[in-house]
Short mmCIF file of all heavy atoms in Angstrom, two decimals:
data_model
loop_
_atom_site.label_atom_id
_atom_site.label_comp_id
_atom_site.label_asym_id
_atom_site.label_seq_id
_atom_site.Cartn_x
_atom_site.Cartn_y
_atom_site.Cartn_z
N HIS A 1 -10.59 6.26 2.70
CA HIS A 1 -10.72 7.27 1.64
C HIS A 1 -10.05 6.75 0.37
O HIS A 1 -9.07 6.00 0.45
CB HIS A 1 -10.06 8.58 2.11
CG HIS A 1 -10.32 9.73 1.21
ND1 HIS A 1 -9.51 10.03 0.15
CD2 HIS A 1 -11.32 10.64 1.21
CE1 HIS A 1 -9.97 11.10 -0.46
NE2 HIS A 1 -11.09 11.49 0.16
N ASP A 2 -10.58 7.13 -0.79
CA ASP A 2 -10.01 6.67 -2.06
C ASP A 2 -8.56 7.07 -2.26
O ASP A 2 -7.84 6.43 -3.03
CB ASP A 2 -10.84 7.19 -3.24
CG ASP A 2 -12.16 6.44 -3.40
OD1 ASP A 2 -12.28 5.32 -2.84
OD2 ASP A 2 -13.06 6.97 -4.08
N SER A 3 -8.09 8.10 -1.58
CA SER A 3 -6.70 8.52 -1.71
C SER A 3 -5.74 7.41 -1.29
O SER A 3 -4.63 7.29 -1.83
CB SER A 3 -6.42 9.78 -0.88
OG SER A 3 -6.64 9.53 0.50
N VAL A 4 -6.17 6.56 -0.36
CA VAL A 4 -5.34 5.44 0.08
C VAL A 4 -5.13 4.47 -1.06
O VAL A 4 -4.00 4.06 -1.35
CB VAL A 4 -5.98 4.73 1.30
CG1 VAL A 4 -5.18 3.50 1.68
CG2 VAL A 4 -6.10 5.69 2.47
N LEU A 5 -6.20 4.13 -1.76
CA LEU A 5 -6.11 3.19 -2.87
C LEU A 5 -5.24 3.75 -3.98
O LEU A 5 -4.38 3.04 -4.53
CB LEU A 5 -7.51 2.88 -3.43
CG LEU A 5 -8.55 2.42 -2.42
CD1 LEU A 5 -9.89 2.23 -3.11
CD2 LEU A 5 -8.11 1.16 -1.73
N ASP A 6 -5.44 5.02 -4.31
CA ASP A 6 -4.68 5.64 -5.39
C ASP A 6 -3.19 5.70 -5.07
O ASP A 6 -2.35 5.37 -5.92
CB ASP A 6 -5.19 7.06 -5.66
CG ASP A 6 -6.62 7.08 -6.19
OD1 ASP A 6 -7.07 6.05 -6.75
OD2 ASP A 6 -7.29 8.11 -6.02
N GLU A 7 -2.85 6.10 -3.86
CA GLU A 7 -1.44 6.22 -3.50
C GLU A 7 -0.76 4.86 -3.40
O GLU A 7 0.39 4.71 -3.82
CB GLU A 7 -1.28 6.98 -2.18
CG GLU A 7 -1.58 8.45 -2.30
CD GLU A 7 -0.63 9.20 -3.23
OE1 GLU A 7 0.57 8.86 -3.30
OE2 GLU A 7 -1.11 10.14 -3.88
N ILE A 8 -1.44 3.89 -2.86
CA ILE A 8 -0.83 2.56 -2.78
C ILE A 8 -0.62 2.01 -4.19
O ILE A 8 0.43 1.45 -4.49
CB ILE A 8 -1.67 1.60 -1.93
CG1 ILE A 8 -1.61 2.04 -0.47
CG2 ILE A 8 -1.17 0.16 -2.07
CD1 ILE A 8 -2.53 1.27 0.44
N TYR A 9 -1.60 2.18 -5.05
CA TYR A 9 -1.45 1.72 -6.44
C TYR A 9 -0.26 2.42 -7.09
O TYR A 9 0.62 1.77 -7.65
CB TYR A 9 -2.72 1.98 -7.25
CG TYR A 9 -2.57 1.53 -8.68
CD1 TYR A 9 -2.82 0.21 -9.04
CD2 TYR A 9 -2.12 2.40 -9.66
CE1 TYR A 9 -2.63 -0.23 -10.35
CE2 TYR A 9 -1.94 1.98 -10.97
CZ TYR A 9 -2.18 0.67 -11.30
OH TYR A 9 -1.98 0.25 -12.59
N ASP A 10 -0.22 3.74 -7.01
CA ASP A 10 0.83 4.51 -7.67
C ASP A 10 2.22 4.20 -7.13
O ASP A 10 3.21 4.37 -7.85
CB ASP A 10 0.58 6.02 -7.52
CG ASP A 10 -0.61 6.49 -8.32
OD1 ASP A 10 -1.07 5.76 -9.23
OD2 ASP A 10 -1.10 7.61 -8.04
N ASN A 11 2.31 3.78 -5.89
CA ASN A 11 3.61 3.61 -5.25
C ASN A 11 4.00 2.17 -4.95
O ASN A 11 5.02 1.95 -4.30
CB ASN A 11 3.65 4.43 -3.97
CG ASN A 11 3.67 5.90 -4.28
OD1 ASN A 11 4.68 6.42 -4.71
ND2 ASN A 11 2.55 6.56 -4.10
N SER A 12 3.21 1.21 -5.42
CA SER A 12 3.60 -0.16 -5.11
C SER A 12 3.34 -1.16 -6.23
O SER A 12 3.71 -2.31 -6.10
CB SER A 12 2.89 -0.64 -3.84
OG SER A 12 1.50 -0.73 -4.05
N VAL A 13 2.69 -0.74 -7.30
CA VAL A 13 2.39 -1.68 -8.37
C VAL A 13 3.53 -1.68 -9.38
O VAL A 13 3.80 -0.68 -10.04
CB VAL A 13 1.04 -1.36 -9.06
CG1 VAL A 13 0.84 -2.24 -10.27
CG2 VAL A 13 -0.09 -1.56 -8.06
N TYR A 14 4.20 -2.81 -9.43
CA TYR A 14 5.23 -3.09 -10.42
C TYR A 14 4.75 -4.36 -11.13
O TYR A 14 4.93 -5.45 -10.59
CB TYR A 14 6.58 -3.37 -9.77
CG TYR A 14 7.05 -2.33 -8.80
CD1 TYR A 14 6.77 -2.45 -7.44
CD2 TYR A 14 7.80 -1.24 -9.21
CE1 TYR A 14 7.21 -1.52 -6.52
CE2 TYR A 14 8.24 -0.29 -8.31
CZ TYR A 14 7.95 -0.44 -6.98
OH TYR A 14 8.38 0.49 -6.07
N PRO A 15 4.11 -4.23 -12.29
CA PRO A 15 3.50 -5.41 -12.91
C PRO A 15 4.44 -6.62 -13.05
O PRO A 15 3.99 -7.75 -12.93
CB PRO A 15 3.07 -4.89 -14.28
CG PRO A 15 2.81 -3.45 -14.05
CD PRO A 15 3.87 -3.03 -13.06
N THR A 16 5.71 -6.38 -13.22
CA THR A 16 6.64 -7.50 -13.36
C THR A 16 6.89 -8.22 -12.04
O THR A 16 7.38 -9.34 -12.03
CB THR A 16 7.99 -7.03 -13.93
OG1 THR A 16 8.54 -6.03 -13.06
CG2 THR A 16 7.82 -6.47 -15.33
N GLN A 17 6.56 -7.58 -10.92
CA GLN A 17 6.79 -8.20 -9.61
C GLN A 17 5.53 -8.75 -8.97
O GLN A 17 5.58 -9.31 -7.87
CB GLN A 17 7.44 -7.18 -8.67
CG GLN A 17 8.81 -6.77 -9.11
CD GLN A 17 9.45 -5.82 -8.12
OE1 GLN A 17 9.00 -5.67 -6.99
NE2 GLN A 17 10.52 -5.17 -8.55
N GLY A 18 4.39 -8.57 -9.60
CA GLY A 18 3.15 -9.10 -9.05
C GLY A 18 2.66 -8.31 -7.85
O GLY A 18 2.87 -7.11 -7.75
N THR A 19 2.04 -9.02 -6.93
CA THR A 19 1.39 -8.34 -5.80
C THR A 19 2.26 -8.19 -4.55
O THR A 19 1.88 -7.49 -3.62
CB THR A 19 0.12 -9.11 -5.39
OG1 THR A 19 0.46 -10.45 -5.06
CG2 THR A 19 -0.91 -9.10 -6.51
N ARG A 20 3.43 -8.79 -4.54
CA ARG A 20 4.27 -8.71 -3.33
C ARG A 20 4.54 -7.28 -2.87
O ARG A 20 4.38 -6.96 -1.69
CB ARG A 20 5.58 -9.48 -3.53
CG ARG A 20 6.43 -9.50 -2.27
CD ARG A 20 7.70 -10.29 -2.49
NE ARG A 20 7.39 -11.65 -2.88
CZ ARG A 20 7.48 -12.71 -2.08
NH1 ARG A 20 7.87 -12.52 -0.83
NH2 ARG A 20 7.20 -13.90 -2.49
N PRO A 21 4.94 -6.36 -3.77
CA PRO A 21 5.17 -4.97 -3.31
C PRO A 21 3.89 -4.30 -2.79
O PRO A 21 3.96 -3.45 -1.91
CB PRO A 21 5.68 -4.25 -4.55
CG PRO A 21 6.12 -5.31 -5.48
CD PRO A 21 5.32 -6.53 -5.17
N VAL A 22 2.75 -4.69 -3.33
CA VAL A 22 1.48 -4.13 -2.87
C VAL A 22 1.24 -4.51 -1.41
O VAL A 22 0.96 -3.66 -0.56
CB VAL A 22 0.31 -4.61 -3.76
CG1 VAL A 22 -1.03 -4.18 -3.17
CG2 VAL A 22 0.46 -4.12 -5.19
N PHE A 23 1.35 -5.79 -1.11
CA PHE A 23 1.12 -6.24 0.26
C PHE A 23 2.16 -5.67 1.22
O PHE A 23 1.84 -5.32 2.36
CB PHE A 23 1.10 -7.77 0.33
CG PHE A 23 -0.08 -8.37 -0.38
CD1 PHE A 23 0.10 -9.26 -1.42
CD2 PHE A 23 -1.38 -8.04 -0.01
CE1 PHE A 23 -0.99 -9.81 -2.07
CE2 PHE A 23 -2.47 -8.58 -0.66
CZ PHE A 23 -2.28 -9.48 -1.70
N SER A 24 3.41 -5.54 0.77
CA SER A 24 4.45 -4.94 1.62
C SER A 24 4.12 -3.49 1.94
O SER A 24 4.29 -3.04 3.08
CB SER A 24 5.81 -5.02 0.93
OG SER A 24 6.20 -6.35 0.76
N SER A 25 3.66 -2.74 0.94
CA SER A 25 3.32 -1.33 1.16
C SER A 25 2.14 -1.19 2.11
O SER A 25 2.13 -0.33 2.98
CB SER A 25 2.98 -0.65 -0.17
OG SER A 25 4.13 -0.51 -0.95
N ILE A 26 1.13 -2.02 1.93
CA ILE A 26 -0.04 -1.96 2.81
C ILE A 26 0.36 -2.29 4.25
O ILE A 26 -0.03 -1.61 5.19
CB ILE A 26 -1.15 -2.89 2.31
CG1 ILE A 26 -1.70 -2.38 0.98
CG2 ILE A 26 -2.26 -3.02 3.35
CD1 ILE A 26 -2.64 -3.34 0.28
N HIS A 27 1.17 -3.31 4.41
CA HIS A 27 1.62 -3.68 5.76
C HIS A 27 2.42 -2.55 6.39
O HIS A 27 2.24 -2.22 7.57
CB HIS A 27 2.44 -4.97 5.70
CG HIS A 27 2.92 -5.40 7.05
ND1 HIS A 27 2.07 -5.91 8.01
CD2 HIS A 27 4.15 -5.35 7.60
CE1 HIS A 27 2.76 -6.17 9.10
NE2 HIS A 27 4.02 -5.84 8.88
N MET A 28 3.31 -1.93 5.61
CA MET A 28 4.12 -0.82 6.12
C MET A 28 3.22 0.33 6.55
O MET A 28 3.40 0.92 7.61
CB MET A 28 5.10 -0.35 5.03
CG MET A 28 5.92 0.88 5.36
SD MET A 28 5.21 2.51 4.99
CE MET A 28 4.72 2.39 3.31
N MET A 29 2.20 0.62 5.75
CA MET A 29 1.34 1.75 6.03
C MET A 29 0.39 1.49 7.18
O MET A 29 0.09 2.38 7.97
CB MET A 29 0.54 2.09 4.78
CG MET A 29 -0.20 3.38 4.89
SD MET A 29 -1.15 3.65 3.43
CE MET A 29 -2.54 2.60 3.77
N PHE A 30 -0.11 0.27 7.30
CA PHE A 30 -1.10 -0.04 8.32
C PHE A 30 -0.50 -0.74 9.52
O PHE A 30 -1.21 -1.31 10.33
CB PHE A 30 -2.24 -0.88 7.74
CG PHE A 30 -3.20 -0.10 6.90
CD1 PHE A 30 -3.71 -0.63 5.74
CD2 PHE A 30 -3.61 1.17 7.28
CE1 PHE A 30 -4.61 0.09 4.97
CE2 PHE A 30 -4.50 1.90 6.51
CZ PHE A 30 -5.00 1.35 5.36
N GLY A 31 0.79 -0.69 9.68
CA GLY A 31 1.43 -1.24 10.87
C GLY A 31 1.39 -0.21 11.98
O GLY A 31 0.35 0.08 12.57
N ALA A 32 2.52 0.37 12.28
CA ALA A 32 2.64 1.35 13.36
C ALA A 32 1.76 2.58 13.16
O ALA A 32 1.13 3.05 14.12
CB ALA A 32 4.09 1.75 13.54
N PRO A 33 1.65 3.14 11.94
CA PRO A 33 0.81 4.34 11.79
C PRO A 33 -0.66 4.09 12.16
O PRO A 33 -1.30 4.95 12.76
CB PRO A 33 0.95 4.71 10.31
CG PRO A 33 2.27 4.16 9.92
CD PRO A 33 2.40 2.88 10.70
N LEU A 34 -1.19 2.94 11.82
CA LEU A 34 -2.58 2.63 12.16
C LEU A 34 -2.76 2.54 13.67
O LEU A 34 -3.71 3.07 14.23
CB LEU A 34 -3.04 1.34 11.48
CG LEU A 34 -4.49 0.93 11.71
CD1 LEU A 34 -5.45 2.01 11.24
CD2 LEU A 34 -4.78 -0.39 11.00
N SER A 35 -1.80 1.92 14.34
CA SER A 35 -1.86 1.84 15.80
C SER A 35 -1.83 3.23 16.43
O SER A 35 -2.60 3.51 17.35
CB SER A 35 -0.68 1.02 16.33
OG SER A 35 -0.74 -0.29 15.86
N SER A 36 -0.97 4.09 15.91
CA SER A 36 -0.89 5.46 16.44
C SER A 36 -2.19 6.21 16.22
O SER A 36 -2.66 6.93 17.11
CB SER A 36 0.25 6.22 15.76
OG SER A 36 1.48 5.64 16.08
N GLY A 37 -2.78 6.05 15.05
CA GLY A 37 -4.04 6.73 14.76
C GLY A 37 -5.17 6.27 15.66
O GLY A 37 -5.96 7.07 16.15
N ILE A 38 -5.23 4.97 15.89
CA ILE A 38 -6.27 4.43 16.76
C ILE A 38 -6.07 4.90 18.20
O ILE A 38 -7.03 5.30 18.86
CB ILE A 38 -6.30 2.89 16.68
CG1 ILE A 38 -6.87 2.47 15.31
CG2 ILE A 38 -7.12 2.29 17.81
CD1 ILE A 38 -6.76 1.00 15.03
#
């Protein structure tokens, strides 16, 4: 759902830090919670 993209963008994009926080947030979100959902 688009809400995933919007929330990850709003909560992990720090232009001065590049993409590292983005990948960290995605990994955090799709780690254990994704396993539980499946």
